[in-house]
Amino acid sequence: MVTEALPAVGFAASLALALAGMDRPQVAAGWAVAAAASLIVRGLIGLAAARQGAEAARAVRQDVRRRAFAGLVASGRAEAADAAAPVEGVDALTGYVARFTPLRIAATATPLLLVAVMAVASPFAAALVLLTLIPFIAGMALAGMAAGEESRRQFDALAQLSGLFLDRIRALPAVIAFQGQDRIAAEVARASDDLARHTGRVLRIAFLSSGVLEFFAALAVALVAVYCGFNLLRLLPFPAPEQLDLARAVFVLALAPEVYLPLRRLAAAYHDRQAAEAAAPMLARVSGAQLVASREEARSADAPEIRFTDVAIAYVHAPAVIEGFNLIVRPGQIVALVGPSGRGKTSLLNLLLGLSPLTRGQVQVDGRRLAEARHFAGSVAWVGQDPVVLPGSVRANLALARKDATAAEIEAAAKAAGLTVALDRALDERGGGLSGGERRRLGVARALVKDAPILLLDEPTANLDAAAEAAMIAAIQTAAVGRTVLIATHSPAVMALADRVVRL
């Protein structure tokens, strides 16, 4: 974008010389051709910059979306509100990479460069433009601060709507069975209205800030035009610091709007930055498991000790779900967490994945503090009630846990988990063709492929019949060998498997 300043200077100079040489038609025509050529070159530079930005944005989207999906799969579960991250969240990065980032560089260098060029022809006009940049930049800053918080609220509303819609679609058979469709439709409508309200606020701020910035830009150019006109007519109400001729006056007038153009473009693209900043926390959260999993220092080589000391977990605007919890899980031990629903069993497991807030206390894995590591997802294999299934073969779904897993390792994991279906069987996003027990065993097999030293299981036998539960327990016994295991469960059979039962 900075390179556009050179054709702008060439156009201004050619236009000034063409008008100044009107008494010599051939000379004026030559400069007119040069001015047209400058415009063509500028257009080509802009086109190349746009293509380069789009290509960079495409590469970033692919990389971040891959890591987001991998992080969701590696965690073994996903909050419905996180469903917006790989789609809307990643798309929010497009404008930031393709437009805002190059425009920010251009807005920093180009105005000062053009003011310096203007100073060669008219130092006073250049000083006038430089002074008018101060309120323009102040207006941009105020508009950005006003739009930032509202953009974050808009993206939160979008994530909540996406999560709500996904949850209700998953539960559609139950909703219809219990005739709850009217209530669900009202919930989705309220969430949609909330998103529309926040979107309207963002647009109002954008329109208002755009109008204010356009006013300052037009006022500054008008001041330069008035100065140049009165200077040429020798009608300035103060002693003229310089005497302009037609060529210099036209040159300054042609360059004045160009000084503000990069800043106006940046202001127009500023919402791209706000959208990206609003999406960044969710993207970091869902991709965190995969990012940490790639760092060898983040995982323990052997079954570690897990220590909970005076742990409290409380979500925003809600009472604490865990208060004063203490537990030491010895290396290689299997501990079952039992208790009524809502007592915090899953929240304790989520602490190690960074999905629950540690309000007070400390969690340590082999002496490494959660407060410093943020989460231990790289050392954790997760088996949830509803393992994530992506479109593709069973083999491909197992390989998600570890990209470098060999075919033999995948087959061995499937066999050890009791997953007897053909590994080449094609699955849809719902895991079509797999029973509930087979999906659970797929989750266990994925945990075996990952080969992490900590194994977390959330209600692994819930809603399974006696035969499927027995098969699942056998798979858990195999997966638990050489690992430290925490299981949230209501099942007496799973409790019998554990070395220790902790009641919440």
Side-chain angles (χ1 to χ4, degrees):
M1 293 293 183
V2 179
T3 53
E4 289 189 20
L6 299 178
V9 173
F11 171 77
S14 300
L15 180 63
L17 292 172
L19 292 176
M22 291 296 291
D23 55 336
R24 293 176 294 170
Q26 291 182 344
V27 174
W31 285 116
V33 171
S38 298
L39 291 177
I40 294 173
V41 170
R42 182 175 186 174
L44 293 175
I45 291 175
L47 179 61
R51 287 181 175 177
Q52 185 178 7
E55 182 62 26
R58 184 189 64 82
V60 170
R61 284 201 312 271
Q62 287 182 341
D63 179 62
V64 176
R65 183 171 283 126
R66 176 186 59 78
R67 288 189 290 166
F69 274 122
L72 289 173
V73 173
S75 68
R77 67 189 295 272
E79 297 293 338
D82 291 339
V87 185
E88 288 91 347
V90 172
D91 288 341
L93 300 178
T94 300
Y96 180 80
V97 176
R99 292 185 293 272
F100 180 80
T101 300
L103 286 173
R104 180 173 56 183
I105 299 172
T108 302
T110 303
L112 297 178
L113 175 62
L114 292 177
V115 168
V117 174
M118 286 178 62
V120 175
S122 174
F124 187 85
L128 190 63
V129 170
L130 196 59
L131 287 175
T132 57
L133 284 175
I134 297 175
F136 192 93
I137 295 173
M140 285 182 59
L142 292 174
M145 288 187 288
E149 183 61 30
E150 202 56 56
S151 293
R152 283 187 285 272
R153 291 174 182 170
Q154 180 197 23
F155 192 84
D156 289 342
L158 175 61
Q160 290 173 5
L161 175 61
S162 300
L164 176 65
F165 189 74
L166 178 59
D167 272 342
R168 299 310 181 257
I169 289 297
R170 286 173 173 172
L172 195 57
V175 170
I176 295 174
F178 291 96
Q179 299 181 348
Q181 53 266 40
D182 292 339
R183 182 173 61 84
I184 298 305
E187 289 181 358
V188 174
R190 283 194 298 270
S192 300
D193 291 341
D194 187 49
L195 174 60
R197 184 170 60 255
H198 287 295
T199 301
R201 290 175 181 172
V202 171
L203 291 175
R204 282 196 295 272
I205 294 173
F207 288 141
L208 178 61
S209 61
S210 177
V212 171
L213 296 178
E214 289 293 337
F215 170 77
F216 280 119
L219 180 62
V221 174
L223 288 175
V224 173
V226 169
Y227 167 74
C228 291
F230 276 79
N231 189 296
L232 286 173
L233 297 173
R234 294 174 174 78
L235 296 177
L236 286 173
F238 52 86
E242 60 194 3
Q243 185 59 53
L244 299 179
D245 54 27
L246 180 62
R248 291 164 62 194
V250 171
F251 180 73
V252 169
L253 278 175
L255 276 188
E258 299 293 336
V259 174
Y260 297 95
L261 183 60
L263 295 172
R264 290 162 60 194
R265 287 177 175 174
L266 181 66
Y270 199 79
H271 70 280
D272 291 323
R273 174 190 172 182
Q274 301 297 350
E277 288 182 347
M282 180 180 292
L283 288 169
R285 182 171 69 250
V286 301
S287 62
Q290 180 67 16
L291 295 176
V292 174
S294 65
R295 303 173 187 168
E296 289 300 322
E297 67 272 17
R299 65 163 292 176
S300 305
D302 302 317
E305 177 186 86
I306 305 175
R307 185 182 296 264
F308 298 84
T309 305
D310 195 28
V311 166
I313 301 174
Y315 298 94
V316 178
H317 306 309
V321 295
I322 290 290
E323 187 75 38
F325 180 77
N326 294 277
L327 175 65
I328 298 177
V329 186
R330 302 298 180 189
Q333 194 175 40
I334 302 176
V335 173
L337 303 175
V338 302
S341 298
R343 289 297 177 88
K345 301 186 298 295
T346 301
S347 294
L348 281 172
L349 302 184
N350 285 343
L351 267 181
L352 298 172
L353 295 169
L355 299 177
S356 293
L358 180 60
T359 309
R360 190 178 64 253
Q362 189 54 259
V363 179
Q364 293 176 300
V365 174
D366 270 352
R368 297 183 64 241
R369 299 171 58 193
L370 178 63
E372 298 171 350
R374 299 181 64 184
H375 50 78
F376 298 102
S379 296
V380 173
W382 171 274
V383 181
Q385 297 183 45
D386 190 19
V388 175
V389 178
L390 298 182
S393 67
V394 174
R395 186 187 305 275
N397 271 272
L398 293 178
L400 289 170
R402 184 160 58 89
K403 293 298 184 181
D404 60 349
T406 64
E409 289 174 327
I410 292 175
E411 292 170 3
K415 182 177 180 181
L419 186 62
T420 57
V421 299
L423 297 183
D424 293 328
R425 175 187 291 184
L427 304 176
D428 58 22
E429 63 275 7
R430 295 184 176 182
L434 297 180
S435 65
E438 287 172 334
R439 289 191 64 162
R440 304 280 179 84
R441 287 191 285 276
L442 184 145
V444 174
R446 189 180 281 158
L448 289 169
V449 171
K450 187 174 182 180
D451 193 27
I454 300 173
L455 178 61
L456 305 181
L457 302 103
D458 187 16
E459 300 287 358
T461 62
N463 304 318
L464 297 182
D465 57 35
E469 182 180 49
M472 176 57 63
I473 289 175
I476 292 172
Q477 285 179 311
T478 301
V481 174
R483 304 184 184 201
T484 301
V485 183
L486 282 172
I487 310 175
T489 186
H490 291 97
S491 168
V494 176
M495 296 180 206
L497 171 68
D499 301 310
R500 181 180 176 188
V501 176
V502 177
R503 299 187 180 275
L504 302 178

